[in-house]
Amino acid sequence: MTKVTILQFPGTNCEYDTQYAFERLGAKTEILWHKADKVPQDTDLLVIAGGFSYGDYLRSGAIARFSPVMKAVEAYAKAGGKVLGICNGFQVLTEAGLLPGALKRNEHLHFLSKHHHLKVINNDNDFLKNLSVGDVVNIPIAHHDGNYFIDADGLKELEENNQILLRYTDANGVEQNPNGSVESIAGICNKQKNIFGLMPHPERAMETILGSDDGVAMLQGFLKA
Amino acid sequence: MIKAIVNVSLKAGVLDSQGKAVHHALESLHFNGVKDVRVGKQIVLQLDCDDKKTALADVTKMCEDLLANTVIEDYEIELV
């Protein structure tokens, strides 16, 4: 059985949605408070859930990255452990230098909370292996600082190594940029393809009755066969 | 005791949406002589230290580690 460990900082608010999502897929889960000094040994996937860790003070994710547990997360990730950062979790991962780039205030300065379509750009990784390149999924976004920035050299590297996971599009897969992100990037991974980050919330897209269950195929990629 | 004033702003090549919005607002108030607006933040630190050289080294490290995200931001340190 797949074991998913979900980090919880003061201000995290998506840990229970994330728990629900993975348990619905048949995984066992554990919520790990940020004071922990190690990642549970049986962890198959470590999720940094969404929310507003430390009230987004200074910069989103800037203070959480120095939480006690983050040293263990870095060691776990560097040893090849799988890490998924959703929304605030993505911000924490970029602040920690575990993913390249940074997340700025949305270009039009508004907080965005709605469903948005995303197109799969690369699927040669655990996260999106159940989807095909070019697939369009409908996933909620809810962020103020989701404007992905990376310099030209960094962007080239992301493209060359197939590190761009998802771009924001309309329902037909035509690029549509809600927040000013460079090249409409919604999610990326590291070069080794074990650390994943995205602003949209696949854990909130698990039930058709709530608008979409497109998150199921995404998160299922992390489950053991 | 040394006071350190740290000014953090977005790097020159990084679009400053807040600066742009403030610029628009100023124009709508008929302040027409404004060429550019950049919005940053100021962090003021009281240091228990009397040596400016040490203070500068310490605050530089604080900026690199936490106060600024050097992927997108520049910082300036003033000691008074």
Side-chain angles (χ1 to χ4, degrees):
Chain A
M1 192 188 249
T2 308
K3 163 73 180 279
V4 180
T5 300
I6 303 159
L7 286 197
Q8 184 186 48
F9 299 98
T12 297
N13 65 12
C14 297
E15 67 273 48
Y16 299 107
D17 291 23
T18 307
Q19 182 170 48
Y20 172 85
F22 278 104
E23 287 188 355
R24 191 179 176 280
L25 297 176
K28 83 180 165 193
T29 62
E30 176 178 344
I31 290 179
L32 189 67
W33 181 236
H34 72 117
K35 300 264 191 192
D37 57 4
K38 47 179 165 299
V39 173
Q41 223 163 27
D42 57 347
T43 301
D44 296 304
L45 171 71
L46 186 124
V47 181
I48 309 183
F52 299 86
S53 58
Y54 296 90
D56 278 353
Y57 296 159
L58 192 65
R59 295 178 307 278
S60 300
I63 298 180
R65 73 148 291 202
F66 291 106
S67 264
V69 75
M70 285 305 292
K71 272 210 168 68
V73 171
E74 276 171 47
Y76 173 81
K78 285 194 173 134
K82 274 177 250 168
V83 179
L84 169 66
I86 301 170
C87 198
N88 190 220
F90 185 18
Q91 294 161 341
V92 172
L93 288 172
T94 57
E95 281 286 341
L98 290 171
L99 286 174
L103 291 142
K104 293 168 49 195
R105 182 53 43 104
N106 292 343
E107 189 169 289
H108 297 294
L109 306 175
H110 299 290
F111 188 98
L112 294 170
S113 180
K114 58 180 181 182
H115 276 77
H116 206 289
H117 290 94
L118 310 169
K119 185 157 83 174
V120 176
I121 306 302
N122 285 294
N123 68 346
D124 58 342
N125 55 70
D126 281 317
F127 185 17
L128 300 181
K129 64 176 185 241
N130 292 337
L131 293 141
S132 306
V133 170
D135 277 0
V136 175
V137 290
N138 185 20
I139 302 288
I141 57 172
H143 58 246
H144 210 172
D145 297 318
N147 180 351
Y148 184 71
F149 175 84
I150 190 158
D151 63 20
D153 290 345
L155 179 63
K156 214 173 127 206
E157 205 166 302
L158 287 183
E159 281 167 349
E160 282 171 2
N161 300 318
N162 297 337
Q163 286 172 258
I164 300 174
L165 301 174
L166 299 154
R167 286 191 215 276
Y168 298 104
T169 65
D170 64 14
N172 301 314
V174 178
E175 209 168 300
Q176 190 182 68
N177 195 332
N179 56 20
S181 292
V182 167
E183 302 274 323
S184 300
I185 290 173
I188 59 165
C189 62
N190 65 336
K191 212 167 161 178
Q192 293 73 29
K193 299 191 169 62
N194 65 312
I195 308 176
F196 305 87
L198 77 167
M199 288 313 297
H201 287 273
E203 83 284 11
R204 293 189 194 175
M206 302 298 290
E207 306 277 358
T208 46
I209 197 172
L210 297 176
S212 165
D213 66 351
D214 289 351
V216 172
M218 297 171 81
L219 298 183
Q220 214 147 32
F222 289 114
L223 296 207
K224 285 185 208 158
Chain B
M1 189 110 120
I2 291 174
K3 181 157 100 173
I5 301 172
V6 178
N7 284 306
V8 180
S9 55
L10 286 170
K11 285 184 173 175
V14 179
L15 178 71
D16 178 1
S17 314
Q18 294 186 75
K20 247 173 87 180
V22 172
H23 195 180
H24 280 282
L26 287 172
E27 279 174 346
S28 70
L29 292 170
H30 307 294
F31 291 109
N32 294 321
V34 182
K35 249 185 89 183
D36 189 35
V37 180
R38 306 285 288 177
V39 172
K41 59 188 143 201
Q42 187 176 74
I43 301 159
V44 180
L45 310 162
Q46 303 284 353
L47 302 174
D48 191 11
C49 154
D50 293 315
D51 178 38
K52 285 207 166 181
K53 222 172 129 188
T54 315
L56 184 63
D58 286 353
V59 177
T60 303
K61 181 90 172 51
M62 292 178 206
C63 288
E64 291 287 331
D65 286 357
L66 175 65
L67 301 181
N69 179 345
T70 55
V71 175
I72 46 172
E73 292 171 327
D74 284 330
Y75 59 88
E76 280 171 11
I77 301 165
E78 189 192 336
L79 300 177
V80 291

